Amino acid sequence: MAKPVVSLDQVTIRFAGDSGDGMQLTGDRFTMDTASLGNDLSTLPNYPAEIRAPQGTLPGVSSFQLHFADHMIKTPGDAPDILVAMNPAALKANIKDLPRGATIIVDLDEFSTRNLSKVGYETNPLEDGTLDSYKVHAVGLTSLTVAALSELSLTRKEAERSKNMFALGLLSWMYHRPTEATENFLKAKFGKKPDILAANLLAYKTGWNYGETTEDFAVSYEIAPAKMPAGVYRNISGNVALAYGLIAASQQSGLKLFLGSYPITPASDILHELSKHKKFGVITFQAEDEIAAIGAALGASYGGALGITTTSGPGLALKSETIGLGVMLELPLIIIDVQRGGPSTGLPTKTEQADLLQAMYGRNGESPVVVLAPATPNDCFEIAMEAARIATTYRVPVMLLSDGYIANGSEPWKIPDVSTLPDLSVEFAKPQEDFLPYLRDTKTLARPWAIPGTKGLEHRIGGVEKADKTGAISYDPVNHDLMVRARAAKVAGVEVPDLVVDDPQGNAEVLLLGWGSTYGPIAAAVESLRANGENIAQAHLRYINPFPKNLGKVLEKYSKVIVPEMNLGQLSMLLRSQYLKDIIGYNMVRGLPFTTAEIMEAAMEVLHD
Amino acid sequence: MTEITLTKKDFTSDQEVKWCPGCGDYSILSTVQSYLPELGVPRENVVFISGIGCSSRFPYYLNTYGMHSIHGRAPTIASGLAISRPDLSVFVITGDGDSLSIGGNHLIHALRRNVNLKILLFNNRIYGLTKGQYSPTSEQGKVTKSTPLGSLDTPFNPISLAIGAEASFVARSIDSDRKHLTEVLRAASAHKGSALIEIYQNCPIFNDGAFDSLKDNETKEGALLKMVHGEPIKSATHGLVHAGSSLKLVELGSVAESDLVVHDVHNPDPSYAFALSRFSNSKLDHVPVGIFRDVERAEYGSQVNGQISDIIAAQGAGDLKTLLTSGDTWTVA
């Protein structure tokens, strides 16, 4: 008799295991299969900084959370409905996030006395009643996998490594995921190792069949496709979207893309992605350090390339002096900071937004740069092109502040029609008599981009203060004052779109204002608050320096403005100082994104103050 | 092709030169300005990039493209430029503090990569622009403003350092010897890849006469071990002979002329050039000058650009639409 199928509108699953258990891969595959089914989704990988912490210990737990639904969603979900825990450590590390009534699937084989004591369980939680308020499926994931693969000529250890595919197969059955894409993926990945391929395919299939046949799993679930705008979609993470956006900017501008970078978590994936695309003429230069990385990018910009450097907080600190040189030279430069927990080494694999003031002010002298922040993984594509537009139009360093949450998180992306992408073409200075390298364009205040190789424009630039127009060295006090103000005016005058406020009734008293990666939880909270009858407005800043021109008016309109940030109030500080508006900060620095519930609670306190 | 007939004047900018009177930088500048027409590269394709220090003012005085950048970082900026613009001739101007202290890391990595940069290292063994502190090439025991009891640091030997960093071209010359410096510049320009030229340079204010033993007519012939490819390495009084796996300094006459080491700049074994480099000590009594090493090794930028052209030749140029729609996609009607 066929098992009953229950329809759900949304589910949040968390896969958790040892960092060697392949949880990120398992999560990725479930995500791809879910995406191809047409659900909207959002993901949150969470992994330790250690590559392989001792097996079975709490520091070694890696997890991947996926929220998918039959409607549009904004976040990877506050709390999992279902936890897959590959060992006692994974259970212990994640159980606190699970609401009562949630489903837990564990690998029974891993719950040995030794493994339990490794993480401080004195008694077996599967037996001592501590999990009574959850629906627990204790499945011998390891032994079932090994038994299924007994026909293959594999060692036990090799066979055990396929248990993540068994788990994936089981979950795929539970949620009616299509299997073809994962099968093709495995064939491509292990094509040259037929034994390993056979093991993975068989484990995957056995996991599926186990769900279908065993009585332990009585029902399966269906989540209908979400109603999404028509188009071709793919799933994309923020780091990949940034890389694609930079390639698009290179193509749309006709400028050679030059990336100077030094590996650093969580930014390295941008370097990895760009280095795959050399057929676009992309040059990736893995430098000896962060300073060399930005130096090379600036040198390439000087030569007429689209110079880019990617890093995270500590690396940005090292690049400060060269960014200052970029300000002085007035050359285009894109600096991408994928923020992580700080200060110092901080929390390398966790997210934070605490580099905002470093981006704004972390240099000697009056050294303004443009600061942009993508709101979502998708937004990274567009904001990369915006960074290129501004950098090349105004000949100015542009700082782009992503963070670990959107860099690694992913969501479906409606692939844009290439013919609709903006024209980013630039004009280099042409040969001319009496060339003035610091003669500014009257509209943009940009100086000419005069690249070596242009006959007759030979000139010298440098970090010493420049004389207006001629660019010669100048220590003249009046000139210095003029140039400091000119550089400030140029950045202040960068054209950015007005801030759009979402205030459906038009008379809300409270505004929730965010920037960067907090968009998801803020938007989800606003949706729920309105569904509960609350009247609240929402706006999100993608342009932080300069701020949108209408920002002052927007702030004036609302009696209370709440700014949630994953820092101790850095945007709040900028807003207060620029607009003399009091701001209600909602700040957390736990290395984790806000949950929807937290923002709702913070907003409710203000709404009903 | 049109004949390029430029002169020294074409490479001289309108800026007033502002080094101290008697500074060795003047003669180096004059030699470089005189040499550049011979380089045969259009003026607009020549770029000088410097760091910070007295010598780093150099680009202002040349009517080419130039950048006076930040302390120690010139090789990084020059690398980005040279890799992305292989059509340019890129020179780096640096000093002993700029390239061996704050910028030491960038120097060694530019050399090991073999980026097409001609690096002119002005070594005056002192910090000039910050007014007289000891530098990483100052002799041990140097009394300066920051070391009233004498410096304790063991100095760098820039030539040994460069050879250790896998440099493919390494040479030494002296500020006042225009002819010699010109010859070295010529060889460096003909070399594909990084070239490091250490130039002993007098600072008349903070380290005056540091290299007098190599300049005074009475002492120099005995002190300068001249390295010329294919000729025995010797000064007026001394020469080098093989001694096991190393080299030994001997008085001329104590051995047969035919026992002297015949210089081979193309010797693939870096330990030969390294052994040569060890004869330059703080006392400057026997100093090899000329080209230590000039070997062929793949140039970095052409390899970078080669990877790009190879993949384009094999797969065609990238297409943005194909890229964006690659991987698992699905269609919503």
Side-chain angles (χ1 to χ4, degrees):
Chain A
M1 202 180 93
K3 291 183 179 182
V5 175
V6 175
S7 284
L8 299 175
D9 63 346
Q10 59 180 318
V11 179
T12 299
I13 299 181
R14 186 180 294 179
F15 296 94
D18 219 48
S19 47
D21 281 344
M23 290 298 98
Q24 302 302 324
L25 174 74
T26 309
D28 268 340
R29 284 319 313 166
F30 196 92
T31 300
M32 296 313 296
D33 297 334
T34 293
S36 68
L37 206 64
N39 294 129
D40 194 19
L41 66 87
S42 175
T43 69
L44 176 67
N46 192 356
Y47 51 90
E50 294 77 14
I51 303 301
R52 292 275 191 279
Q55 208 177 5
T57 62
L58 289 170
V61 173
S62 160
S63 71
F64 185 101
Q65 184 164 312
L66 165 69
H67 178 198
F68 59 106
D70 68 358
H71 55 276
M72 301 293 269
I73 54 170
K74 308 269 188 326
T75 76
D78 280 7
D81 302 302
I82 173 162
L83 170 71
V84 179
M86 303 299 282
N87 62 16
L91 177 68
K92 184 150 193 182
N94 290 285
I95 188 80
K96 62 181 185 309
D97 298 336
L98 250 58
R100 289 175 194 286
T103 298
I104 301 172
I105 299 174
V106 299
D107 183 357
L108 181 61
D109 301 317
E110 288 289 318
F111 281 66
S112 63
T113 317
R114 187 165 168 268
N115 286 352
L116 289 167
S117 66
K118 243 190 228 179
V119 294
Y121 276 129
E122 284 173 13
T123 55
N124 188 342
L126 303 179
E127 294 162 359
D128 66 9
T130 54
L131 300 180
D132 282 356
S133 49
Y134 302 93
K135 285 178 260 178
V136 179
H137 299 273
V139 182
L141 293 174
T142 305
S143 51
L144 286 165
T145 303
V146 171
L149 305 185
S150 60
E151 300 284 298
L152 303 174
S153 53
L154 294 170
T155 64
R156 186 180 164 89
K157 200 156 188 156
E158 281 171 334
E160 280 182 8
R161 292 189 62 180
S162 295
K163 67 184 172 189
N164 64 330
M165 285 299 119
F166 185 99
L168 179 63
L170 174 58
L171 270 290
S172 297
W173 169 80
M174 272 181 83
Y175 293 99
H176 292 244
R177 303 294 99 179
T179 58
E180 200 187 335
T182 288
E183 284 164 359
N184 289 338
F185 167 84
L186 291 172
K187 282 172 193 160
K189 187 174 167 74
F190 298 116
K192 285 178 186 152
K193 297 174 185 163
D195 286 355
I196 307 293
L197 171 63
N200 277 282
L201 285 173
L202 189 54
Y204 181 50
K205 198 160 176 258
T206 310
W208 176 288
N209 291 342
Y210 180 80
E212 198 164 53
T213 50
T214 182
E215 285 175 12
D216 191 17
F217 293 91
V219 292
S220 64
Y221 304 94
E222 252 181 3
I223 295 89
K227 281 200 187 65
M228 292 158 89
V232 179
Y233 284 78
R234 64 180 289 165
N235 197 56
I236 202 158
S237 69
N239 273 347
V240 173
L242 271 179
Y244 285 7
L246 295 172
I247 293 173
S250 163
Q251 295 280 303
Q252 297 301 105
S253 63
L255 299 177
K256 191 183 284 182
L257 191 166
F258 185 102
L259 174 73
S261 186
Y262 185 76
I264 185 169
T265 303
S268 303
D269 278 342
I270 306 171
L271 166 64
H272 302 160
E273 188 63 36
L274 284 174
S275 64
K276 290 182 201 163
H277 303 295
K278 299 215 179 288
K279 65 167 112 165
F280 288 89
V282 167
I283 297 178
T284 53
F285 177 68
Q286 183 177 314
E288 59 270 24
D289 60 28
E290 296 281 0
I291 298 171
I294 187 172
L298 184 59
S301 279
Y302 174 55
L306 185 62
I308 301 158
T309 190
T310 48
T311 190
S312 186
L316 184 63
L318 287 165
K319 294 180 195 296
S320 303
E321 191 190 13
T322 312
I323 298 171
L325 179 62
V327 169
M328 207 64 159
L329 299 182
E330 304 194 40
L331 284 171
L333 182 65
I334 299 174
I335 304 116
I336 297 175
D337 174 13
V338 184
Q339 300 166 94
R340 65 190 215 186
S344 189
T345 307
L347 305 172
T349 60
K350 310 295 179 200
T351 197
E352 204 161 280
Q353 294 181 294
D355 293 349
L356 176 57
L357 294 181
Q358 182 182 209
M360 287 290 293
Y361 301 119
R363 291 166 295 285
N364 63 308
E366 296 287 353
S367 183
V369 299
V370 173
V371 180
L372 310 178
T376 62
N378 279 347
D379 190 28
C380 288
F381 180 78
E382 197 186 313
I383 211 136
M385 286 188 293
E386 265 298 84
R389 173 186 72 86
I390 294 171
T392 56
T393 305
Y394 296 89
R395 329 263 203 252
V396 68
V398 174
M399 191 90 69
L400 201 161
L401 292 178
S402 176
D403 65 36
Y405 174 46
I406 46 179
N408 290 317
S410 69
E411 62 185 359
W413 178 47
K414 184 168 174 274
I415 300 169
D417 178 350
V418 170
S419 66
T420 64
L421 297 180
D423 174 15
L424 299 174
S425 52
V426 301
E427 263 190 54
F428 297 124
K430 295 195 174 64
Q432 57 193 268
E433 297 285 311
D434 302 320
F435 176 58
L436 292 171
Y438 274 74
L439 181 67
R440 295 178 188 285
D441 179 273
T442 49
K443 186 162 165 280
T444 61
L445 301 183
R447 75 175 193 90
W449 193 0
I451 63 170
T454 317
K455 201 172 172 61
L457 302 192
E458 295 85 357
H459 65 287
R460 274 64 57 192
I461 54 177
V464 182
E465 183 60 282
K466 300 276 151 293
D468 184 32
K469 299 186 182 66
T470 68
I473 288 183
S474 170
Y475 301 113
D476 176 61
V478 176
N479 176 75
H480 179 54
D481 188 84
L482 177 89
M483 293 299 274
V484 166
R485 289 175 198 279
R487 290 186 288 263
K490 183 170 80 164
V491 170
V494 167
E495 275 189 41
V496 304
D498 269 354
L499 181 66
V500 178
V501 182
D502 173 32
D503 185 356
Q505 298 182 43
N507 61 353
E509 295 279 315
V510 177
L511 171 71
L512 256 173
L513 177 65
W515 71 277
S517 77
T518 52
Y519 174 79
I522 293 175
V526 165
E527 215 167 72
S528 300
L529 287 163
R530 285 181 190 154
N532 295 346
E534 301 294 344
N535 189 7
I536 189 164
Q538 187 205 348
H540 207 76
L541 286 165
R542 298 163 74 239
Y543 298 84
I544 296 176
N545 199 34
F547 281 132
K549 296 216 166 34
N550 67 334
L551 178 57
K553 285 226 164 72
V554 168
L555 295 175
E556 253 172 51
K557 182 166 184 259
Y558 295 91
S559 61
K560 288 174 181 168
V561 177
I562 313 170
V563 174
E565 294 179 86
M566 294 184 286
N567 60 40
L568 293 184
Q570 300 192 7
L571 178 67
S572 294
M573 183 176 166
L574 294 177
L575 294 172
R576 286 186 195 115
S577 68
Q578 193 157 334
Y579 299 102
L580 296 179
K581 168 87 180 182
D582 194 22
I583 302 292
I584 303 165
Y586 179 62
N587 306 92
M588 282 198 179
V589 276
R590 298 165 306 171
L592 294 168
F594 287 110
T595 65
T596 305
E598 284 162 357
I599 305 244
M600 284 177 72
E601 198 180 315
M604 287 297 281
E605 251 181 52
V606 175
L607 284 162
H608 300 283
D609 183 9
Chain B
M1 213 178 111
T2 47
E3 190 79 4
I4 301 161
T5 48
L6 296 171
T7 63
K8 178 181 180 186
K9 195 159 165 276
D10 292 307
F11 285 95
T12 305
S13 78
D14 59 356
Q15 297 290 303
E16 186 192 345
V17 184
K18 288 181 182 164
W19 287 310
C20 307
C23 178
D25 291 356
Y26 281 97
S27 51
I28 302 172
L29 175 64
S30 173
T31 304
V32 170
Q33 286 168 335
S34 300
Y35 166 69
L36 285 173
E38 188 196 311
L39 181 64
V41 175
R43 200 170 57 178
E44 64 272 17
N45 284 354
V46 178
V47 187
F48 278 81
I49 297 189
S50 63
I52 291 292
C54 294
S55 58
S56 288
R57 293 292 177 109
F58 206 86
Y60 289 118
Y61 309 134
L62 290 164
N63 194 12
T64 64
Y65 281 87
M67 188 196 294
H68 177 208
S69 76
I70 46 180
H71 208 9
R73 318 303 174 200
T76 72
I77 294 164
S79 290
L81 181 64
I83 293 164
S84 60
R85 290 288 307 276
D87 56 318
L88 303 175
S89 290
V90 184
F91 291 81
V92 170
I93 302 293
T94 184
D96 42 316
D98 193 55
S99 67
L100 299 173
S101 244
I102 194 166
N105 196 32
H106 309 308
L107 178 75
I108 57 175
H109 287 276
L111 294 175
R112 89 174 156 89
R113 288 190 187 103
N114 206 28
V115 184
N116 195 21
L117 303 175
K118 311 307 163 198
I119 305 170
L120 277 53
L121 194 173
F122 296 21
N123 183 4
N124 58 13
R125 300 189 167 188
I126 198 76
Y127 280 177
L129 195 64
T130 53
K131 301 191 176 170
Q133 301 83 7
Y134 74 110
S135 92
T137 54
S138 294
E139 59 277 19
Q140 208 168 21
K142 184 95 178 163
V143 174
T144 71
K145 272 184 196 155
S146 60
T147 50
L149 302 180
S151 64
L152 301 171
D153 313 28
T154 300
F156 261 140
N157 177 327
I159 303 289
S160 300
L161 182 77
I163 293 164
E166 307 288 347
S168 57
F169 183 104
V170 187
R172 174 186 290 137
S173 192
I174 299 173
D175 55 2
S176 53
D177 192 342
R178 297 178 61 122
K179 182 165 169 284
H180 187 260
L181 180 55
T182 303
E183 280 167 18
V184 169
L185 286 170
R186 198 174 286 139
S189 303
H191 175 78
K192 287 192 178 65
S194 300
L196 179 94
I197 306 172
E198 180 190 25
I199 306 169
Y200 282 155
Q201 173 243 322
N202 190 47
C203 172
I205 307 298
F206 298 108
N207 202 16
D208 194 24
F211 303 103
D212 277 357
S213 66
L214 308 178
K215 297 179 179 182
D216 289 352
N217 284 335
E218 285 184 13
T219 54
K220 72 176 184 187
E221 292 307 325
L224 295 172
L225 287 163
K226 289 178 184 159
M227 299 183 295
V228 178
H229 180 67
E231 293 182 15
I233 302 173
K234 60 178 184 179
S235 66
T237 57
H238 289 73
L240 295 181
V241 295
H242 291 286
S245 59
S246 192
L247 303 172
K248 197 169 84 178
L249 186 75
V250 293
E251 278 186 43
L252 292 180
S254 67
V255 296
E257 175 84 9
S258 58
D259 286 341
L260 293 179
V261 174
V262 175
H263 188 40
D264 178 9
V265 295
H266 308 306
N267 188 334
D269 179 6
S271 54
Y272 166 70
F274 189 82
L276 286 173
S277 74
R278 304 312 290 169
F279 286 97
S280 32
N281 55 19
S282 296
K283 273 164 56 189
L284 299 176
D285 44 5
H286 298 287
V287 176
V289 289
I291 299 161
F292 289 81
R293 179 171 170 79
D294 180 1
V295 297
E296 267 188 46
R297 190 152 69 79
E299 191 274 318
Y300 187 78
S302 49
Q303 291 185 89
V304 168
N305 291 297
Q307 282 190 337
I308 291 171
S309 51
D310 285 354
I311 197 148
I312 290 174
Q315 301 179 5
D319 173 68
L320 189 57
K321 188 180 174 196
T322 309
L323 171 71
L324 300 187
T325 53
S326 63
D328 294 343
T329 61
W330 68 95
T331 303
V332 174

